[in-house]
Amino acid sequence: MTEAYIYDAVRTPRGKGRKDGALHEVTSVRLSSQVLNALKDRNNLDGHAVEDVIWGNVTQVGEQGGCLARTAVLASDLDESIPGLAINRFCASGMEAVNLAANQVKGGAGEAYIAGGVEMMGRVAMGSDGAAIAVDPSVAMNTYFVPQGISADIIATEYGFTRDDADALAVESQNRAAAAWADNRFEKSIITVRDQNGLPILEHDEYMRPGTDMQALGSLKASFKDMGEVMPGFDKIALMKYPHLEAINHIHHAGNSSGIVDGSAGVLIGNAEFGKKYGLKPRARIRQTCKIGTDPTIMLTGPVPATQKILADSGMSIGDIDLFEVNEAFASVVLRFQQAFDVDPALVNVNGGSIAMGHPLGATGAIIIGTLLDELERSDKEVGLATLCIASGMGAATIIERV
């Protein structure tokens, strides 16, 4: 089978996902087109060089609807002959775009693709597209639906993680992200977002809170306690599914959960012939991809079975992986991953994660693949695994190997 190589990966800085955020004036289409143009210009591509643009975005309504991927192509410097495919696998949409593109290349369906995603959470609110699993009683009752924050707290309760455990991981994420920026570890991938006049809007992740400590986090109220215990009382639903738990321990809050931000990222993927044609050197090959369904109530444990599956599919063991990127949707997700595989925390999210820098839903999967590649190169390591939990009970993973 044809190998699929990563030739380049870029991302925007992540802006605060609210009206006073630096990127609030920028639409999803404009931000996506800047990523597409950066990949085209950095690699001296012809406008028609790729087979397709596969783009993840989760809330596909309003200005993020109508096959945003195709609109972004038309708004960019790519040729109009390139189609676009918008996909939604919730938080793994950007990763699924990369995985789908890689498997298209491996199967011989074109020489190259651009894949990634976008989410402007300050402009198009999360959940504004509705969700049958939440609002259709015939589905919600049968799946014991609870919101994600409750699911994160179920994980903490089921696997014994305390508020201090979660807060310590959050502090470490902030410290690592601050150190990474101070050491210019993101400079290879970061592009400056510019306004319509070409003036810079944002050059640095805006959401970060350097200097965050345990005392500051300890003062924050648990975000999901009221919706769990009072109205609408989701804890009762959770305990119907997990009767062995006496009560749900609500440990998550704004400081140890992922931030709501705006951002976009893209990855250039192609076969060997594509690289030769444009004089490009592959940086890594996409060795294996996977996706899996999991329990929809606890919902966010997907990185564990996804990692088990991708390792089995690739004939590898956890010890064969040098570095891990596990999306920090909530602290308990990463804590459970480290617990399940007895992984050294020093190898997980080396440069911080979504707790510190934010989680632009449709883009994050592509972001962490690019971050993983950069860190493999910086630290001279060979093999990395990226994985995310996914709403409604799913998981996805990608293994990359430096060339």
Side-chain angles (χ1 to χ4, degrees), residues 202-258:
L202 188 62
E203 300 174 331
H204 190 282
D205 286 322
E206 185 183 29
Y207 183 80
M208 293 164 52
R209 297 180 296 277
T212 297
D213 57 22
M214 294 290 287
Q215 183 176 4
L217 294 183
S219 67
L220 298 177
K221 179 182 177 181
S223 297
F224 310 104
K225 183 177 176 67
D226 286 348
M227 73 166 63
E229 296 179 353
V230 187
M231 289 295 293
F234 283 110
D235 283 6
K236 292 181 180 179
I237 296 173
L239 294 173
M240 289 172 64
K241 183 73 172 284
Y242 309 106
H244 62 284
L245 301 177
E246 293 184 2
I248 306 302
N249 182 20
H250 293 285
I251 70 167
H252 288 93
H253 51 75
N256 59 27
S257 307
S258 56

Side-chain angles (χ1 to χ4, degrees), residues 176 324 338 341-349:
R176 291 183 182 187
F324 302 86
Q338 293 173 170
F341 296 104
D342 193 24
V343 171
D344 183 352
L347 303 179
V348 181
N349 303 340

Side-chain angles (χ1 to χ4, degrees), residues 287-292 302-326 337-338 340-343 372 383-387 395-401:
R287 180 162 176 169
Q288 195 74 39
T289 70
C290 87
K291 59 272 187 184
I292 198 166
V304 173
T307 296
Q308 292 169 336
K309 183 178 190 300
I310 201 170
L311 291 174
D313 290 348
S314 59
M316 303 176 74
S317 68
I318 200 73
D320 295 323
I321 309 297
D322 297 315
L323 291 173
F324 302 86
E325 284 286 326
V326 182
F337 180 89
Q338 293 173 170
F341 296 104
D342 193 24
V343 171
L372 180 61
V383 182
L385 183 150
T387 184
T398 307
I399 293 176
I400 64 173
E401 181 177 23

Side-chain angles (χ1 to χ4, degrees), residues 90-108:
F90 296 124
C91 297
S93 297
M95 173 176 285
E96 187 63 28
V98 172
N99 290 353
L100 179 57
N103 291 325
Q104 293 278 82
V105 170
K106 289 182 178 183

Side-chain angles (χ1 to χ4, degrees), residues 55-329:
W55 218 238
N57 67 291
V58 174
T59 311
Q60 297 190 8
V61 294
E63 64 188 51
Q64 285 191 170
C67 192
L68 186 149
R70 173 58 175 167
T71 311
V73 169
L74 295 175
S76 75
D77 296 332
L78 297 177
D79 193 85
E80 66 178 16
S81 64
I82 297 174
L85 172 64
I87 64 169
N88 178 10
R89 200 187 291 278
F90 296 124
C91 297
S93 297
M95 173 176 285
E96 187 63 28
V98 172
N99 290 353
L100 179 57
N103 291 325
Q104 293 278 82
V105 170
K106 289 182 178 183
E111 289 188 344
Y113 288 72
I114 292 176
V118 68
E119 206 78 31
M120 301 302 291
M121 301 180 74
R123 294 179 63 92
V124 184
M126 177 173 57
S128 58
D129 55 340
I133 193 171
V135 301
D136 184 338
S138 66
V139 179
M141 292 175 65
N142 289 336
T143 59
Y144 296 87
F145 169 82
V146 298
Q148 285 189 30
I150 301 293
S151 298
D153 288 337
I154 297 172
I155 294 173
T157 308
E158 176 73 12
Y159 295 102
F161 305 127
T162 67
R163 168 82 176 243
D164 281 350
D165 293 334
D167 286 357
L169 186 142
V171 169
E172 185 64 14
S173 181
Q174 294 285 352
N175 291 340
R176 291 183 182 187
W181 270 105
D183 198 31
N184 294 320
R185 295 185 188 179
F186 300 127
E187 64 180 350
K188 183 180 289 187
S189 299
I190 287 285
I191 63 170
T192 299
V193 180
R194 300 183 180 275
D195 65 16
Q196 292 179 326
N197 298 313
L199 300 176
I201 298 175
L202 188 62
E203 300 174 331
H204 190 282
D205 286 322
E206 185 183 29
Y207 183 80
M208 293 164 52
R209 297 180 296 277
T212 297
D213 57 22
M214 294 290 287
Q215 183 176 4
L217 294 183
S219 67
L220 298 177
K221 179 182 177 181
S223 297
F224 310 104
K225 183 177 176 67
D226 286 348
M227 73 166 63
E229 296 179 353
V230 187
M231 289 295 293
F234 283 110
D235 283 6
K236 292 181 180 179
I237 296 173
L239 294 173
M240 289 172 64
K241 183 73 172 284
Y242 309 106
H244 62 284
L245 301 177
E246 293 184 2
I248 306 302
N249 182 20
H250 293 285
I251 70 167
H252 288 93
H253 51 75
N256 59 27
S257 307
S258 56
I260 293 174
V261 295
D262 304 325
S264 183
V267 181
L268 177 61
I269 300 161
N271 60 19
E273 289 71 25
F274 170 78
K276 292 175 183 176
K277 182 184 295 185
Y278 288 96
L280 302 174
K281 182 179 178 181
R283 296 172 61 187
R285 71 183 178 108
I286 297 179
R287 180 162 176 169
Q288 195 74 39
T289 70
C290 87
K291 59 272 187 184
I292 198 166
T294 65
D295 180 342
T297 306
I298 203 167
M299 193 185 306
L300 306 174
T301 55
V304 173
T307 296
Q308 292 169 336
K309 183 178 190 300
I310 201 170
L311 291 174
D313 290 348
S314 59
M316 303 176 74
S317 68
I318 200 73
D320 295 323
I321 309 297
D322 297 315
L323 291 173
F324 302 86
E325 284 286 326
V326 182
N327 185 41
E328 296 174 351

